[in-house]
Amino acid sequence: MEPFQIADPLHPIASGGFVPARMPPTARPLNRPVLIEYKQMRFLISDAPSDSNLILYMAEFQRCKVKHVVRVCDPTYATAPLEQLGMKVHDWPFGDGEGPPHTIIRQWLKLVHQQFGKDQEAEPESTIVVHCVAGLGRAPLLVAIALIDAGMTPEDSIAYVREHKRGALNSRQTKFIMDYKPKRSFGSKRLKCPTCAIL
């Protein structure tokens, strides 16, 4: 079986240390990131990598053509290996189990619109990773906000995220989503997802 190579033969994963970048193509993180697609948008929801397992996430990110990594929890890994692969890391942490402040929402939507907002009918050419510690609260919440801003109803955004990521969003976060007022940057119509229902 041909080995999977990320890029260079070696990658700096921990400070001063290197690990081989070759691994079987079946190698995956223990909790594999979940891909969510809607219209022209594509997000990868993940838990937080560590320096010791970052190489597994890097391979997964490359498979999905990731250009941006949004980290909404405290840092658990060095960003240099991702940056060497052309992935920009955005540090926008906010409280666990809470909704994001307005400043982070503005930064998040600006990134989403820059990445996906040019042609709503076009196939996505890249992916945004968003991760928190477990990948169940803060990261899915930001994705739900992007879905609402793209025209989905709050109820359907919750259902759509949970359909892909079981156990996502606590009661405080679902209330935040239900109360969220979209910026309507992708258009003035709010669209209903015909297959969604709150789980």
Side-chain angles (χ1 to χ4, degrees), residues 29-189:
L30 182 61
N31 298 311
R32 189 174 180 183
V34 171
L35 184 66
I36 294 184
E37 296 179 281
Y38 180 69
K39 291 186 176 180
Q40 79 282 27
M41 304 185 301
R42 186 162 61 183
F43 303 103
L44 203 62
I45 295 177
S46 175
D47 60 359
S50 65
D51 282 323
S52 62
N53 66 10
L54 179 59
I55 193 169
L56 298 176
Y57 289 81
M58 290 162 63
E60 194 76 5
F61 294 174
Q62 279 200 304
R63 290 185 185 100
C64 293
K65 301 180 180 179
V66 168
K67 296 286 184 66
H68 296 272
V69 177
V70 175
R71 183 162 61 180
V72 295
C73 57
D74 292 334
T76 56
Y77 57 90
T79 62
L82 295 173
E83 292 165 350
Q84 288 177 5
L85 295 180
M87 302 178 197
K88 181 176 177 58
V89 179
H90 307 265
D91 278 309
W92 298 333
F94 58 96
D96 188 17
E98 301 177 0
H102 294 302
T103 53
I104 289 179
I105 293 176
R106 285 198 297 269
Q107 290 172 309
W108 166 245
L109 292 178
K110 180 179 179 181
L111 174 63
V112 171
H113 300 158
Q114 287 176 342
Q115 194 71 12
F116 306 123
K118 295 178 180 179
D119 185 353
Q120 296 185 37
E121 303 302 323
E123 289 293 322
E125 297 179 355
S126 62
T127 305
I128 296 176
V129 168
V130 54
H131 80 76
C132 49
V133 173
L136 294 174
R138 288 168 283 186
L141 176 55
L142 284 188
V143 172
I145 288 173
L147 294 175
I148 295 170
D149 206 54
M152 192 177 285
T153 66
E155 296 90 344
D156 287 340
S157 74
I158 295 169
Y160 196 64
V161 167
R162 286 177 171 173
E163 179 183 327
H164 292 79
K165 186 70 173 177
R166 187 178 298 275
L169 304 171
N170 64 26
S171 59
R172 291 174 64 185
Q173 291 162 338
T174 56
K175 184 180 187 306
F176 182 93
I177 292 169
M178 294 300 296
D179 293 339
Y180 174 72
K181 305 300 182 187
K183 308 300 181 185
R184 304 293 179 85
S185 300
F186 283 117
S188 60
K189 290 185 178 180

